[in-house]
Amino acid sequence: MGSETRIGVFICECGSNIAGTVNCMELMEYAKSLPDVVCVVVNRYTCAEPGQQEIRRYVCEQDLNRVVVAACTPKMHEPTFRKCVSDAGLNPYLMEMANIREHCSWVHHFDKAKATQKAKELVKSAVARARLLEPQKELEVPVTQAALVIGGGIAGIQASLDLANAGYPVWLVEKAPSIGGIMSQLNKTYPTMD
Amino acid sequence: MIEEADFKCLRCGHEFKAPYEKGKIEERFCPKCRSNSVRHIKKKL
Amino acid sequence: MMDVGRHPRIKLLTYSEIEEISGYIGNFRIKIRRKARYVDENECTACDECVEVCPVIVPKEHQMGLASRKAIYIPFPQAVPSAHLIDIEACLGFDPIACSKCAEKCDKNCINYDDKDKIIEFDVGSIIVATGMDVYDPTEFDEYGYTRFENVLTSMEFEILTGPGGVTKGELIRPTDRKVPKSIGFIQCVGSRCEKRGNPYCSNVCCMNTIKDTLLLKEYYHDIECKVFYVDIRASGKGFEDFYRRSKGLGVKYIRGIPGDIREDPKTKNLILTVENTSKGSIEEHELEMIVLSVGLVPRYDSDVIQKLLTLSTTSDGFLMEVHPKLTPIDAPTSGVFFAGCCEAPKDIKDSVTQASGAAARALTILSQDKVKIEAVTSIIDEDKCTSCGICADVCPYGAIIVDKKAKIPAKVIEAACKGCGTCAAECKFDAIRMRHFSDEQIMAQLEAILEENPEEKIVVFACNWCSYPGADLVGISRMQYPVSPRIVRTMCSGRVDEKFILHAFELGAPIVLVTGCHPVDCHYIDAQQWAQRRVERLWDKLERKGIRPERLQLEWISASEVGKFVKTMEELEEMRKKVTREEIEETKRILSKIKK
Ligand code: SF4
Ligand code: SF4
Ligand code: SF4
Ligand SMILES: [Zn+2]
């Protein structure tokens, strides 16, 4: 891989969630004009397997070293796409998302032209950031194989039993002198009436 | 020391007085428009 | 319950409170205060002999004054652990001369008046929050006379009264004459689904609970007259509609309408309730011997403690907020933490158990691994630029930076302790700190891209990863609409928003800049948020000194659930943006570029 930056932009229609408001074709043409962008792909559902496959394919075929996914919020699919690019051999921190759904198509539903313009800028900003992204190494830390369950009501009891039966030590902490919570005060309970 | 100080809301322009303790940081909001853009107006000497 | 007490892998700590939680996914350190029981919980066989000799009688908890207990007691017969404890406030044994009857009586010498609270510390890899809920207190519904009429009970009190641990051992009696009532009324939605009083949400369990109560009543007391006053019956679970039908089939009357008020007949202590029957359109009066207020569920009174310890947030109803309402409904925003039961939202037993098993499975995805990866967003020090001033170490909420000011040794970051809030990088005056994945250059490049064309049409919004950014997401999910001008730039914490970024945005022609993040109580980096506020306050002064209107820099704390506040803020800022003229923007640019030179 040479030292030049090669960015692939993957625009998601999310069915009509994005494409119903943002003109994705216009967005695609625009994204092609951005610096270091070597390919732009529009998918119906980028997070679905065919969409992810496209990303992996383009990363290999086009020798991409940055990926921009213009789709939903990173709070939802950042882990998905990080994993996707890392399966294609790219460091996961070289993937950037442009949130053109929650922050654009869904909130500017009635002004398609302005929403498309905004989506362009969000992609432009993501590309600008992507150009400067660097690979990062995540710190790996050992896991203490025990759990804490806070609260000894019916939910805490069930969770503790499941974890303990799966073979892990559980600390169950309850504020009151006995476990049981509200349920222990109830008479028969629906739906079984016992 | 807690003293009464002048504040101005940078959202709606409302000016008001509220207790103020130097160096202490707390969530402030405008009593009129509820914005957090509330500025402590220092006395001009 | 018994299974928990006996399970070899469950360490049960009752009468205990969490004092401290530190660390991160895979590696939490927990500090617990185990309150003194004054009775050795392992030795006690719950033989009850101590109780017989104890001379102190106090009213028993949750029994409406209908029952009492001693100073040494067991909370209820099936308690786990099956052991007594001493209510030390009531006990006379603090002064052994006054009383030490129970200690003398106990053959196993379990009782120790000098018992002390113990601090226990341990490590875990994952945490499940199952702190439950409280029951709504209907005192504010004064028209129902809950505090005035003895025969008006809450559904919870009714439950306890008729429950296995109740005074009557399952026999239904009404408080005033201790006789089985001939008629009983249930009022639904007390404290639920009301914007003005109580809570706006549906508490989920009350309809079914009432239906269950009517079935039990009809089973034990065939002749009892049951009337249910409701707005609509929500019986949407599996098999629930059947229950409803059965209840109606047994002669329980369902009357659509919420009673206006209740009076008491001073002689019979019967209750007379007035209601507008909305199916018939008539005003009716019903005389009943007992009335049960079907009260809703509310967040636990002390849930803010756990919220602070684990930096969680709540939805507008006060219940703990999940990462995503549909896709990750069990995960807390803090990695490695999961929710089970009513702490997250009101639910019935079946749903609580279901979610608990889900939470256990989620926790297992961590516990079953030897190692977890931690996001590579941490700070790096440029030793050549660092002057060892120590500011970064002072602001870091986690003490993750060590600086030796005296020896002039440059700052050092403990990577595993750094959570990546970026406050140190924003505060360092010498640009000696670089944030991985959120570097100055990356953020500046975003600003330049956003403001390259028609900057006067845009509002630059710096939003934190935990509250305001997902808050803006929720606005989208809710399909609320707002002006098109805001351009959101994500940072991990509002503490990351460097003065430099804000000034750069103005220099590039931004009419309005907003810094938004978590409210101080919700801050995901303990208190890093405060540095954003300090910085903005400092900048207001600085902007004014330079001749730039401070109003153009705005501050707002918007939580992940405050969609209304987000939209309102955007609308207000749009109005402000329109008033910033091109001349003003040009003037600002001139001022700022001059300073640079
Ligand atoms: S990636 Fe996001 S925007 Fe695209 S289809 Fe999936 S959910 Fe929708
Ligand atoms: S604030 Fe900057 S200069 Fe001061 S000690 Fe920290 S890294 Fe060094
Ligand atoms: S201030 Fe924040 S970014 Fe800096 S070292 Fe501390 S936790 Fe890490
Ligand atoms: Zn105001």
Side-chain angles (χ1 to χ4, degrees), chain C residues 131-136 199 201 296-304 314-320 342-344 346:
Chain C
T131 43
M133 73 320 190
D134 279 332
V135 174
Y136 175 71
N199 298 294
Y201 52 83
L297 305 181
V298 295
R300 253 192 85 97
Y301 74 97
D302 58 355
S303 66
D304 60 316
T314 58
T315 24
S316 54
D317 54 16
F319 290 95
L320 294 173
C342 290
C343 60
E344 178 258 331

PDB file of all heavy atoms in Angstrom, chain C residues 131-136 199 201 296-304 314-320 342-344 346:
ATOM      1  N   THR C 131     -31.987  -2.493  40.556  1.00  0.00           N
ATOM      2  CA  THR C 131     -32.341  -1.784  41.782  1.00  0.00           C
ATOM      3  C   THR C 131     -33.840  -1.585  41.966  1.00  0.00           C
ATOM      4  O   THR C 131     -34.270  -1.084  42.998  1.00  0.00           O
ATOM      5  CB  THR C 131     -31.626  -0.422  41.832  1.00  0.00           C
ATOM      6  OG1 THR C 131     -31.715   0.172  40.541  1.00  0.00           O
ATOM      7  CG2 THR C 131     -30.158  -0.593  42.170  1.00  0.00           C
ATOM      8  N   GLY C 132     -34.616  -1.971  40.967  1.00  0.00           N
ATOM      9  CA  GLY C 132     -36.070  -1.966  41.166  1.00  0.00           C
ATOM     10  C   GLY C 132     -36.716  -0.594  41.157  1.00  0.00           C
ATOM     11  O   GLY C 132     -36.166   0.371  40.644  1.00  0.00           O
ATOM     12  N   MET C 133     -37.913  -0.536  41.734  1.00  0.00           N
ATOM     13  CA  MET C 133     -38.690   0.698  41.699  1.00  0.00           C
ATOM     14  C   MET C 133     -39.360   0.932  43.039  1.00  0.00           C
ATOM     15  O   MET C 133     -39.237   0.144  43.968  1.00  0.00           O
ATOM     16  CB  MET C 133     -39.733   0.621  40.580  1.00  0.00           C
ATOM     17  CG  MET C 133     -40.919  -0.278  40.794  1.00  0.00           C
ATOM     18  SD  MET C 133     -40.631  -1.854  41.573  1.00  0.00           S
ATOM     19  CE  MET C 133     -42.137  -2.709  41.377  1.00  0.00           C
ATOM     20  N   ASP C 134     -40.095   2.022  43.146  1.00  0.00           N
ATOM     21  CA  ASP C 134     -40.925   2.278  44.307  1.00  0.00           C
ATOM     22  C   ASP C 134     -42.369   2.362  43.830  1.00  0.00           C
ATOM     23  O   ASP C 134     -42.641   2.422  42.635  1.00  0.00           O
ATOM     24  CB  ASP C 134     -40.533   3.599  44.980  1.00  0.00           C
ATOM     25  CG  ASP C 134     -39.305   3.424  45.873  1.00  0.00           C
ATOM     26  OD1 ASP C 134     -39.108   2.300  46.374  1.00  0.00           O
ATOM     27  OD2 ASP C 134     -38.554   4.393  46.042  1.00  0.00           O
ATOM     28  N   VAL C 135     -43.261   2.426  44.814  1.00  0.00           N
ATOM     29  CA  VAL C 135     -44.665   2.507  44.476  1.00  0.00           C
ATOM     30  C   VAL C 135     -45.117   3.943  44.709  1.00  0.00           C
ATOM     31  O   VAL C 135     -44.706   4.585  45.669  1.00  0.00           O
ATOM     32  CB  VAL C 135     -45.455   1.508  45.345  1.00  0.00           C
ATOM     33  CG1 VAL C 135     -46.938   1.664  45.123  1.00  0.00           C
ATOM     34  CG2 VAL C 135     -45.028   0.089  45.014  1.00  0.00           C
ATOM     35  N   TYR C 136     -45.938   4.443  43.815  1.00  0.00           N
ATOM     36  CA  TYR C 136     -46.398   5.830  43.891  1.00  0.00           C
ATOM     37  C   TYR C 136     -47.191   6.092  45.181  1.00  0.00           C
ATOM     38  O   TYR C 136     -48.017   5.299  45.599  1.00  0.00           O
ATOM     39  CB  TYR C 136     -47.278   6.111  42.667  1.00  0.00           C
ATOM     40  CG  TYR C 136     -47.902   7.471  42.682  1.00  0.00           C
ATOM     41  CD1 TYR C 136     -47.128   8.608  42.482  1.00  0.00           C
ATOM     42  CD2 TYR C 136     -49.264   7.629  42.916  1.00  0.00           C
ATOM     43  CE1 TYR C 136     -47.688   9.865  42.515  1.00  0.00           C
ATOM     44  CE2 TYR C 136     -49.839   8.880  42.942  1.00  0.00           C
ATOM     45  CZ  TYR C 136     -49.046   9.992  42.748  1.00  0.00           C
ATOM     46  OH  TYR C 136     -49.607  11.229  42.785  1.00  0.00           O
ATOM     47  N   ASN C 199     -47.472  10.747  37.388  1.00  0.00           N
ATOM     48  CA  ASN C 199     -46.585  10.562  36.250  1.00  0.00           C
ATOM     49  C   ASN C 199     -47.351  10.443  34.945  1.00  0.00           C
ATOM     50  O   ASN C 199     -48.444   9.916  34.914  1.00  0.00           O
ATOM     51  CB  ASN C 199     -45.764   9.286  36.467  1.00  0.00           C
ATOM     52  CG  ASN C 199     -44.907   9.422  37.709  1.00  0.00           C
ATOM     53  OD1 ASN C 199     -44.002  10.241  37.758  1.00  0.00           O
ATOM     54  ND2 ASN C 199     -45.230   8.645  38.727  1.00  0.00           N
ATOM     55  N   TYR C 201     -46.558   8.582  32.386  1.00  0.00           N
ATOM     56  CA  TYR C 201     -46.473   7.289  31.699  1.00  0.00           C
ATOM     57  C   TYR C 201     -47.458   6.268  32.263  1.00  0.00           C
ATOM     58  O   TYR C 201     -48.010   6.429  33.342  1.00  0.00           O
ATOM     59  CB  TYR C 201     -45.055   6.730  31.804  1.00  0.00           C
ATOM     60  CG  TYR C 201     -44.504   6.665  33.213  1.00  0.00           C
ATOM     61  CD1 TYR C 201     -44.815   5.591  34.045  1.00  0.00           C
ATOM     62  CD2 TYR C 201     -43.698   7.680  33.716  1.00  0.00           C
ATOM     63  CE1 TYR C 201     -44.334   5.528  35.333  1.00  0.00           C
ATOM     64  CE2 TYR C 201     -43.210   7.627  35.007  1.00  0.00           C
ATOM     65  CZ  TYR C 201     -43.526   6.551  35.815  1.00  0.00           C
ATOM     66  OH  TYR C 201     -43.055   6.495  37.090  1.00  0.00           O
ATOM     67  N   GLY C 296     -49.384   3.539  40.588  1.00  0.00           N
ATOM     68  CA  GLY C 296     -48.359   3.225  39.598  1.00  0.00           C
ATOM     69  C   GLY C 296     -46.995   2.973  40.218  1.00  0.00           C
ATOM     70  O   GLY C 296     -46.824   2.973  41.433  1.00  0.00           O
ATOM     71  N   LEU C 297     -46.036   2.749  39.355  1.00  0.00           N
ATOM     72  CA  LEU C 297     -44.661   2.519  39.795  1.00  0.00           C
ATOM     73  C   LEU C 297     -43.827   3.761  39.490  1.00  0.00           C
ATOM     74  O   LEU C 297     -44.037   4.429  38.486  1.00  0.00           O
ATOM     75  CB  LEU C 297     -44.071   1.317  39.052  1.00  0.00           C
ATOM     76  CG  LEU C 297     -44.875   0.014  39.167  1.00  0.00           C
ATOM     77  CD1 LEU C 297     -44.163  -1.100  38.417  1.00  0.00           C
ATOM     78  CD2 LEU C 297     -45.082  -0.369  40.627  1.00  0.00           C
ATOM     79  N   VAL C 298     -42.899   4.039  40.371  1.00  0.00           N
ATOM     80  CA  VAL C 298     -42.035   5.211  40.184  1.00  0.00           C
ATOM     81  C   VAL C 298     -40.574   4.787  40.361  1.00  0.00           C
ATOM     82  O   VAL C 298     -40.297   3.756  40.958  1.00  0.00           O
ATOM     83  CB  VAL C 298     -42.380   6.337  41.193  1.00  0.00           C
ATOM     84  CG1 VAL C 298     -43.767   6.882  40.940  1.00  0.00           C
ATOM     85  CG2 VAL C 298     -42.262   5.845  42.628  1.00  0.00           C
ATOM     86  N   PRO C 299     -39.643   5.618  39.857  1.00  0.00           N
ATOM     87  CA  PRO C 299     -38.229   5.285  40.057  1.00  0.00           C
ATOM     88  C   PRO C 299     -37.906   5.221  41.543  1.00  0.00           C
ATOM     89  O   PRO C 299     -38.527   5.900  42.353  1.00  0.00           O
ATOM     90  CB  PRO C 299     -37.502   6.464  39.405  1.00  0.00           C
ATOM     91  CG  PRO C 299     -38.480   7.077  38.486  1.00  0.00           C
ATOM     92  CD  PRO C 299     -39.826   6.837  39.066  1.00  0.00           C
ATOM     93  N   ARG C 300     -36.945   4.419  41.894  1.00  0.00           N
ATOM     94  CA  ARG C 300     -36.571   4.285  43.298  1.00  0.00           C
ATOM     95  C   ARG C 300     -36.087   5.615  43.851  1.00  0.00           C
ATOM     96  O   ARG C 300     -35.386   6.354  43.174  1.00  0.00           O
ATOM     97  CB  ARG C 300     -35.468   3.254  43.436  1.00  0.00           C
ATOM     98  CG  ARG C 300     -35.947   1.951  44.033  1.00  0.00           C
ATOM     99  CD  ARG C 300     -34.757   1.112  44.394  1.00  0.00           C
ATOM    100  NE  ARG C 300     -34.251   1.458  45.711  1.00  0.00           N
ATOM    101  CZ  ARG C 300     -34.564   0.781  46.817  1.00  0.00           C
ATOM    102  NH1 ARG C 300     -35.352  -0.257  46.749  1.00  0.00           N
ATOM    103  NH2 ARG C 300     -34.087   1.143  47.982  1.00  0.00           N
ATOM    104  N   TYR C 301     -36.459   5.868  45.101  1.00  0.00           N
ATOM    105  CA  TYR C 301     -36.106   7.157  45.698  1.00  0.00           C
ATOM    106  C   TYR C 301     -34.587   7.388  45.721  1.00  0.00           C
ATOM    107  O   TYR C 301     -34.119   8.501  45.645  1.00  0.00           O
ATOM    108  CB  TYR C 301     -36.665   7.263  47.125  1.00  0.00           C
ATOM    109  CG  TYR C 301     -35.911   6.412  48.135  1.00  0.00           C
ATOM    110  CD1 TYR C 301     -34.905   6.975  48.933  1.00  0.00           C
ATOM    111  CD2 TYR C 301     -36.171   5.049  48.264  1.00  0.00           C
ATOM    112  CE1 TYR C 301     -34.203   6.189  49.831  1.00  0.00           C
ATOM    113  CE2 TYR C 301     -35.477   4.268  49.154  1.00  0.00           C
ATOM    114  CZ  TYR C 301     -34.488   4.839  49.943  1.00  0.00           C
ATOM    115  OH  TYR C 301     -33.770   4.076  50.812  1.00  0.00           O
ATOM    116  N   ASP C 302     -33.815   6.303  45.802  1.00  0.00           N
ATOM    117  CA  ASP C 302     -32.367   6.464  45.917  1.00  0.00           C
ATOM    118  C   ASP C 302     -31.645   6.098  44.623  1.00  0.00           C
ATOM    119  O   ASP C 302     -30.455   5.823  44.639  1.00  0.00           O
ATOM    120  CB  ASP C 302     -31.834   5.628  47.078  1.00  0.00           C
ATOM    121  CG  ASP C 302     -32.177   4.148  46.924  1.00  0.00           C
ATOM    122  OD1 ASP C 302     -32.902   3.806  45.983  1.00  0.00           O
ATOM    123  OD2 ASP C 302     -31.723   3.346  47.759  1.00  0.00           O
ATOM    124  N   SER C 303     -32.358   6.100  43.477  1.00  0.00           N
ATOM    125  CA  SER C 303     -31.687   5.631  42.262  1.00  0.00           C
ATOM    126  C   SER C 303     -30.593   6.598  41.798  1.00  0.00           C
ATOM    127  O   SER C 303     -29.735   6.233  41.017  1.00  0.00           O
ATOM    128  CB  SER C 303     -32.687   5.359  41.137  1.00  0.00           C
ATOM    129  OG  SER C 303     -33.285   6.555  40.740  1.00  0.00           O
ATOM    130  N   ASP C 304     -30.615   7.831  42.318  1.00  0.00           N
ATOM    131  CA  ASP C 304     -29.545   8.749  41.914  1.00  0.00           C
ATOM    132  C   ASP C 304     -28.180   8.301  42.441  1.00  0.00           C
ATOM    133  O   ASP C 304     -27.148   8.640  41.881  1.00  0.00           O
ATOM    134  CB  ASP C 304     -29.851  10.182  42.382  1.00  0.00           C
ATOM    135  CG  ASP C 304     -29.982  10.267  43.877  1.00  0.00           C
ATOM    136  OD1 ASP C 304     -30.639   9.374  44.458  1.00  0.00           O
ATOM    137  OD2 ASP C 304     -29.421  11.195  44.483  1.00  0.00           O
ATOM    138  N   THR C 314     -30.914   9.184  33.087  1.00  0.00           N
ATOM    139  CA  THR C 314     -32.299   8.717  33.142  1.00  0.00           C
ATOM    140  C   THR C 314     -33.080   9.296  31.978  1.00  0.00           C
ATOM    141  O   THR C 314     -32.704  10.317  31.425  1.00  0.00           O
ATOM    142  CB  THR C 314     -32.985   9.179  34.436  1.00  0.00           C
ATOM    143  OG1 THR C 314     -32.921  10.609  34.492  1.00  0.00           O
ATOM    144  CG2 THR C 314     -32.318   8.607  35.662  1.00  0.00           C
ATOM    145  N   THR C 315     -34.178   8.632  31.633  1.00  0.00           N
ATOM    146  CA  THR C 315     -35.097   9.215  30.668  1.00  0.00           C
ATOM    147  C   THR C 315     -35.956  10.228  31.412  1.00  0.00           C
ATOM    148  O   THR C 315     -35.878  10.325  32.630  1.00  0.00           O
ATOM    149  CB  THR C 315     -35.990   8.136  30.024  1.00  0.00           C
ATOM    150  OG1 THR C 315     -36.069   7.025  30.894  1.00  0.00           O
ATOM    151  CG2 THR C 315     -35.410   7.654  28.730  1.00  0.00           C
ATOM    152  N   SER C 316     -36.799  10.951  30.683  1.00  0.00           N
ATOM    153  CA  SER C 316     -37.538  12.042  31.319  1.00  0.00           C
ATOM    154  C   SER C 316     -38.439  11.532  32.451  1.00  0.00           C
ATOM    155  O   SER C 316     -38.795  12.271  33.345  1.00  0.00           O
ATOM    156  CB  SER C 316     -38.366  12.775  30.276  1.00  0.00           C
ATOM    157  OG  SER C 316     -39.172  11.842  29.586  1.00  0.00           O
ATOM    158  N   ASP C 317     -38.788  10.254  32.428  1.00  0.00           N
ATOM    159  CA  ASP C 317     -39.634   9.715  33.491  1.00  0.00           C
ATOM    160  C   ASP C 317     -38.841   9.334  34.742  1.00  0.00           C
ATOM    161  O   ASP C 317     -39.415   8.907  35.733  1.00  0.00           O
ATOM    162  CB  ASP C 317     -40.419   8.507  32.972  1.00  0.00           C
ATOM    163  CG  ASP C 317     -39.515   7.442  32.363  1.00  0.00           C
ATOM    164  OD1 ASP C 317     -38.297   7.498  32.603  1.00  0.00           O
ATOM    165  OD2 ASP C 317     -40.020   6.572  31.646  1.00  0.00           O
ATOM    166  N   GLY C 318     -37.528   9.455  34.690  1.00  0.00           N
ATOM    167  CA  GLY C 318     -36.722   9.176  35.871  1.00  0.00           C
ATOM    168  C   GLY C 318     -36.166   7.761  35.937  1.00  0.00           C
ATOM    169  O   GLY C 318     -35.366   7.448  36.811  1.00  0.00           O
ATOM    170  N   PHE C 319     -36.583   6.884  35.020  1.00  0.00           N
ATOM    171  CA  PHE C 319     -36.017   5.537  35.004  1.00  0.00           C
ATOM    172  C   PHE C 319     -34.688   5.554  34.241  1.00  0.00           C
ATOM    173  O   PHE C 319     -34.450   6.444  33.431  1.00  0.00           O
ATOM    174  CB  PHE C 319     -37.007   4.548  34.368  1.00  0.00           C
ATOM    175  CG  PHE C 319     -38.215   4.291  35.229  1.00  0.00           C
ATOM    176  CD1 PHE C 319     -39.392   5.000  35.047  1.00  0.00           C
ATOM    177  CD2 PHE C 319     -38.151   3.367  36.260  1.00  0.00           C
ATOM    178  CE1 PHE C 319     -40.500   4.774  35.859  1.00  0.00           C
ATOM    179  CE2 PHE C 319     -39.254   3.131  37.080  1.00  0.00           C
ATOM    180  CZ  PHE C 319     -40.424   3.837  36.883  1.00  0.00           C
ATOM    181  N   LEU C 320     -33.834   4.564  34.525  1.00  0.00           N
ATOM    182  CA  LEU C 320     -32.496   4.571  33.936  1.00  0.00           C
ATOM    183  C   LEU C 320     -32.559   4.382  32.422  1.00  0.00           C
ATOM    184  O   LEU C 320     -33.368   3.624  31.909  1.00  0.00           O
ATOM    185  CB  LEU C 320     -31.637   3.476  34.573  1.00  0.00           C
ATOM    186  CG  LEU C 320     -31.342   3.704  36.063  1.00  0.00           C
ATOM    187  CD1 LEU C 320     -30.634   2.498  36.664  1.00  0.00           C
ATOM    188  CD2 LEU C 320     -30.530   4.967  36.277  1.00  0.00           C
ATOM    189  N   CYS C 342     -37.198  -3.356  36.922  1.00  0.00           N
ATOM    190  CA  CYS C 342     -37.901  -2.079  36.885  1.00  0.00           C
ATOM    191  C   CYS C 342     -37.019  -0.840  36.986  1.00  0.00           C
ATOM    192  O   CYS C 342     -37.518   0.269  36.860  1.00  0.00           O
ATOM    193  CB  CYS C 342     -38.943  -2.036  37.993  1.00  0.00           C
ATOM    194  SG  CYS C 342     -40.305  -3.147  37.677  1.00  0.00           S
ATOM    195  N   CYS C 343     -35.731  -0.987  37.226  1.00  0.00           N
ATOM    196  CA  CYS C 343     -34.902   0.217  37.272  1.00  0.00           C
ATOM    197  C   CYS C 343     -34.905   0.904  35.908  1.00  0.00           C
ATOM    198  O   CYS C 343     -34.717   2.100  35.808  1.00  0.00           O
ATOM    199  CB  CYS C 343     -33.481  -0.106  37.706  1.00  0.00           C
ATOM    200  SG  CYS C 343     -32.629  -1.265  36.634  1.00  0.00           S
ATOM    201  N   GLU C 344     -35.167   0.125  34.866  1.00  0.00           N
ATOM    202  CA  GLU C 344     -35.103   0.663  33.510  1.00  0.00           C
ATOM    203  C   GLU C 344     -36.475   1.182  33.059  1.00  0.00           C
ATOM    204  O   GLU C 344     -36.565   2.179  32.349  1.00  0.00           O
ATOM    205  CB  GLU C 344     -34.566  -0.430  32.584  1.00  0.00           C
ATOM    206  CG  GLU C 344     -34.475  -0.067  31.119  1.00  0.00           C
ATOM    207  CD  GLU C 344     -35.627  -0.662  30.323  1.00  0.00           C
ATOM    208  OE1 GLU C 344     -36.154  -1.723  30.696  1.00  0.00           O
ATOM    209  OE2 GLU C 344     -36.022  -0.037  29.348  1.00  0.00           O
ATOM    210  N   PRO C 346     -41.075   0.515  34.250  1.00  0.00           N
ATOM    211  CA  PRO C 346     -42.005  -0.349  34.978  1.00  0.00           C
ATOM    212  C   PRO C 346     -42.277  -1.624  34.183  1.00  0.00           C
ATOM    213  O   PRO C 346     -42.506  -1.554  32.977  1.00  0.00           O
ATOM    214  CB  PRO C 346     -43.279   0.492  35.063  1.00  0.00           C
ATOM    215  CG  PRO C 346     -42.867   1.895  34.795  1.00  0.00           C
ATOM    216  CD  PRO C 346     -41.658   1.819  33.919  1.00  0.00           C
TER     217      PRO C 346
END
